Structures are given as C-alpha cells and as structure tokens.
Amino acid sequence: MASAFLSIVKKIVRTGNLKLTLANGETHMVGDGSGELVAVRVADEEAERLIRRDPTLKLGEMYMDGRFILEQGNIYDFLAMVKQNTTNEIFDIPMAALLIGRIALQQLKSRLPVNRNKRNVAHHYDLSERLFELFLDEDWQYSCAYYNPPGISLEEAQVAKKRHIAAKLLLQPNQRVLEIGSGWGGMGMYLAEATPGLDLTGITLSEEQLKISRQRSKMRGLTDRVRFELQDYRTMTGQKFDRIVSVGMFEHVGIGNFDKFFKKVHELLADDGVMVLHSIARPKPSFATNAFIEKYIFPQGYIPSIGETLPPIERAGLLIRDVEVLPLHYAYTLRHWRERFVANKAAAVALYDERFFRMWEFYLAGSEMGFRWDELFIMQIQISKNQYSTPDNRNYIAAAETKLKEFEATRAPLEKVIL
C-alpha cells in the first residue's frame, strides 16, 4: 500500500518541495525541490488507501480526522502545490467510475420533487452565529467581496461589493425590492438606507439568519420598511417587485431547478423592473459539486457556468442586459476569511472541536484553490423584461457609485450584534 500511495503522490507532485512520511515510517522527498518545503505525514495505512482511492473526498476527511498531518506548512500550502501540478482528479478507471457515479447521483437529487432546501440551508447557515463572527466583516457579508481598488481591506471590499450591486440595480425612491437569500441582512439594510422610502423584503430559509437580520433591522430603526421573512422563493405569489437582488444564493438552487427559479423571477418582477444576480460560476459545466463540499459544507449545491445560466433566463422570457465577470475577487476574500479563521482557532475549537476546525480550514483553503487554480469566478448578471429598463451604456454604474460613496460617508456605524 505504501508503494502504491507513494507512486500516485510522485505522479501528481512533479514541481514543488514535498517531504512525505508514510505510515510505515519511510520518508521521501517528492518534487523538483523548488519552492517552500511542505512536510506531511500519513498516520496509518488505511488513510493511505482511502486517499489513494478517492482523493477528492478522503484527503479532506483524513485531514479532519488528524490522519493526514501537516508537519511544516499548512493545508493551503499543500493544496496549492497539488493544484499547481495538476487540475486532473482522475488517475485511473476506478476514480473515473466513482466520479461518474457521483455526477449521476447529484444530477438525480437536484431533480427530485422532495423539497430539502430548508434542511440543506440549515446544515450550513444555522451553525452558531459566533462561528461566522470569527472571520466575517462587521456587516456579516458571507459572499465575495469586490476588491476595487486592489489592496483594500475586507471591510472596504465588502462595502464596495454592496455599492457595485446597488449601482446596477438603478434604485429609485419608494421602490419595492425583493432580496432572495437575505443572509444576515447587511445588503438589504444598505439598499434601504441608501434609497429614500425604499421598501425591502428579504427572504431566507435559515432561522438563525432570520433572527439576526430582524434584530439588526430593529437596531437601525428600519422595521417600518425592511422586513425579513422565513420564506421559500418558490411559494411566493401575488406580488410584484421593482427590483430583485440575489447574492450568493443561486449556488444553492441546483441545476435541475434553474428554469423554475427564473420563471419565478419573471412572475415576481415588475414589467419595468431590474434584477441583479450575483453568483459563483465556473468556466464550463461540471455536472456535479466537489464531493467534500457536497458532503460537509453545501449539500445539493451546484456552481453553474455562464453557459448553463443564460438559457434558462431566456426561456423564462427575461432579457439579459449585462454580464460582468469578477475573476480572483473571491480568492482574495477567502484568503482574508481563512487567515481570520485560523487566527481565531482557539475560539472555533471552543465552539465545536478540533475536527470541526480542520473541516472548515480545509473548506476555506480548498475554496480559495478553486478560484486561484480552477478558474472559478463571480458572475453578475443584470436582468429585465424591458430593454428600456436599463441605460444603453455602462457609465451610470460609476456615476451611481460616486453618489453611494457620499451616502456611505454619512451612514451611521454598524452596531455590534448581540449574540
């Protein structure tokens, strides 16, 4: 087993400086010696066998269980070394068969009529609020920040993200706005405070997020025109909204439900309305989610390509008015989150345990890898029903952002959430 595991590691890591200690105590130097040394140890032969058979899932699990151990460098350093050598996770026929089986299962689950959305959301977002407080910015923005200009802080970049989306929404006083997937309320409150008389409805399937959103809205005196509801977008009826915004939620819809999602958007959007969709995207269809992310982080989630997203928009009778790609911004965001999370390790372990900490460290590190090496990116799609709902050029975005910066300069500081 040791020789089989060593051979696959040597096949993958050709460039880099890896010191590998096997379960039998043997130590091998792998790679061409370039770069910083990364030293790993595998605790037992079963761990070697499991990783060799199914690296996509089992590497993360063995790291969680303390059976794949970083003795020099960290898990991000190791994953970066692997990704710089290969993005191919299929090295033999059994691996290929495993991948095909996962694709088939995830495709089937995404099309089942059973509604597990609330359970899937709770799996991640109903974790302790204190966990997210360890690494998010002061506004609890759990989606990609916008690093424009480059080099700004996480807090500044999250404000820039809200500003950029608000500009694309072309907000006017007294409009009715729907936010699909309202998180902890930060985006909705920003839009409402930036626009006189704006009436916002934010919907979520997370009871924990709902609780904090309502608390924050009350603290800022916005309850007369900002409401957050425990609501599935699919069951909303009888309402029309001037604007719809959805940030970091579309990844949870599932590939089998894209048509239903945009048909509901068509139903809820006013005839002269505008929607902005902000979502993670990939350069081409993958048909299935990473096995570790699917099992431990986001059950039944799916990252679409632009090519998978645009046809259902068109089939719903909606017009695509603007598509913007934001490359690498999520890599920068995830780097900030991971560094903050690791710096707060003791608090995270106190909340859960060492295994949970390593699971989330692996998730944050692996996600950053996706944006740095697998070409994942953020797509922002502006949608309407009427070609005259949006300007015929993009100059309005910068103009609106300038005005929003003036609003931000006078906005009251965000209050600390009482947990």
Side-chain angles (χ1 to χ4, degrees):
M1 176 51 63
S3 61
F5 181 75
L6 177 62
S7 67
I8 195 70
V9 173
K10 286 183 173 180
K11 185 176 181 180
I12 296 170
V13 180
R14 300 175 302 280
T15 301
N17 189 8
L18 177 65
K19 179 182 178 183
L20 173 65
T21 302
L22 299 172
N24 63 10
E26 293 178 6
T27 297
H28 299 267
M29 299 306 298
V30 183
D32 62 2
S34 62
E36 295 293 321
L37 176 67
V38 177
V40 302
R41 177 167 57 87
V42 187
D44 59 86
E45 290 189 357
E46 183 188 36
E48 291 177 354
R49 178 180 61 78
L50 291 171
I51 296 171
R52 168 68 180 85
R53 174 74 177 86
D54 185 8
T56 305
L57 176 62
K58 295 302 179 181
L59 177 63
E61 289 189 337
M62 295 304 99
Y63 181 70
M64 287 164 56
D65 291 342
R67 297 163 69 184
F68 183 85
I69 302 153
L70 271 294
E71 296 186 322
Q72 186 166 331
N74 56 41
I75 190 63
Y76 175 88
D77 298 329
F78 176 77
L79 292 175
M81 181 185 297
V82 171
K83 280 296 184 184
Q84 289 175 64
N85 278 276
T86 179
T87 57
N88 183 7
E89 296 172 337
I90 303 173
F91 299 102
D92 55 24
I93 292 175
M95 281 190 194
L98 191 63
L99 178 63
I100 291 169
R102 282 183 175 143
I103 289 173
L105 180 60
Q106 288 192 34
Q107 289 280 323
L108 175 64
K109 287 165 77 174
S110 75
R111 288 166 170 80
L112 289 174
V114 179
N115 182 1
R116 293 193 173 93
N117 281 16
K118 190 173 186 301
R119 185 191 69 181
N120 293 336
V121 166
H123 178 89
H124 190 90
Y125 296 100
D126 282 353
L127 293 167
S128 170
E129 302 95 336
R130 295 184 185 278
L131 171 70
F132 296 99
E133 192 178 40
L134 296 179
F135 65 94
L136 296 182
D137 66 296
E138 62 182 359
D139 197 29
W140 293 47
Q141 290 294 300
Y142 193 32
S143 57
C144 178
Y146 182 43
Y147 287 84
N148 185 27
I152 57 178
S153 69
L154 175 65
E155 279 74 17
E156 291 170 321
Q158 290 293 11
V159 172
K161 182 264 301 292
K162 289 176 284 189
R163 182 192 311 136
H164 198 52
I165 291 172
K168 291 183 179 184
L169 282 168
L170 295 153
L171 297 169
Q172 299 294 326
N174 305 314
Q175 287 180 326
R176 298 190 66 204
V177 178
L178 171 66
E179 184 180 10
I180 303 176
S182 52
W184 287 281
M187 174 63 76
M189 293 191 301
Y190 178 93
L191 299 179
E193 292 185 351
T195 314
L198 184 143
D199 184 274
L200 182 128
T201 299
I203 61 173
T204 180
L205 291 178
S206 166
E207 295 187 13
E208 293 301 312
Q209 288 187 332
L210 177 69
K211 178 179 69 177
I212 288 181
S213 297
R214 287 177 168 173
Q215 178 185 333
R216 298 182 73 203
S217 176
K218 183 177 181 180
M219 290 167 67
R220 296 191 71 81
L222 293 170
T223 52
D224 59 328
R225 58 191 185 95
V226 174
R227 70 199 56 81
F228 296 104
E229 306 291 346
L230 196 69
Q231 170 77 53
D232 192 320
Y233 72 91
R234 294 178 297 185
T235 58
M236 293 191 74
T237 57
Q239 301 179 69
K240 291 286 186 181
F241 294 90
D242 303 296
R243 300 291 185 264
I244 299 177
V245 62
S246 184
V247 179
M249 177 271 177
F250 189 62
E251 303 91 327
H252 303 286
V253 167
I255 191 170
N257 295 307
F258 288 179
D259 281 293
K260 294 175 183 176
F261 178 85
F262 289 112
K263 285 177 182 176
K264 180 57 70 171
V265 167
H266 187 281
E267 176 187 329
L268 297 173
L269 188 63
D271 290 343
D272 60 350
V274 175
M275 177 189 188
V276 174
L277 177 74
H278 170 115
S279 171
I280 301 171
R282 61 176 67 251
K284 59 184 179 182
S286 71
F287 308 109
T289 299
N290 172 276
F292 182 86
I293 298 295
E294 161 71 17
K295 181 174 181 179
Y296 290 100
I297 310 298
F298 295 119
Q300 290 185 237
Y302 180 76
I303 297 174
S305 69
I306 292 177
E308 290 174 299
T309 307
L310 300 190
I313 296 175
E314 295 171 344
R315 287 194 293 268
L318 295 163
L319 301 177
I320 298 158
R321 307 309 298 151
D322 187 82
V323 179
E324 183 177 9
V325 169
L326 304 178
L328 289 175
H329 289 264
Y330 221 155
Y332 309 145
T333 306
L334 285 155
R335 170 63 62 93
H336 277 114
W337 286 350
R338 180 171 57 83
E339 288 176 346
R340 291 181 177 205
F341 184 70
V342 171
N344 286 302
K345 177 179 179 178
V349 171
L351 277 174
Y352 291 98
D353 54 30
E354 287 271 358
R355 186 174 188 271
F356 183 92
F357 170 81
R358 286 192 292 266
M359 176 176 74
W360 267 65
E361 183 191 12
F362 189 88
Y363 148 57
L364 293 170
S367 296
E368 183 181 342
M369 286 297 101
F371 289 90
R372 290 195 183 274
W373 300 105
D374 291 339
E375 300 175 330
L376 300 184
F377 56 91
I378 290 295
M379 62 178 176
Q380 288 185 351
I381 305 178
Q382 187 189 60
I383 300 165
S384 72
K385 292 181 178 179
N386 181 337
Q387 67 172 333
Y388 298 107
S389 299
T390 58
D392 60 4
N393 62 72
R394 304 183 84 247
N395 297 338
Y396 72 92
I397 298 175
E401 289 186 340
T402 298
K403 291 183 178 180
L404 287 164
K405 286 179 182 178
E406 295 173 0
F407 147 71
E408 292 161 11
T410 61
R411 191 186 187 200
L414 295 170
E415 301 87 349
K416 182 174 174 59
V417 179
I418 301 170
L419 296 177

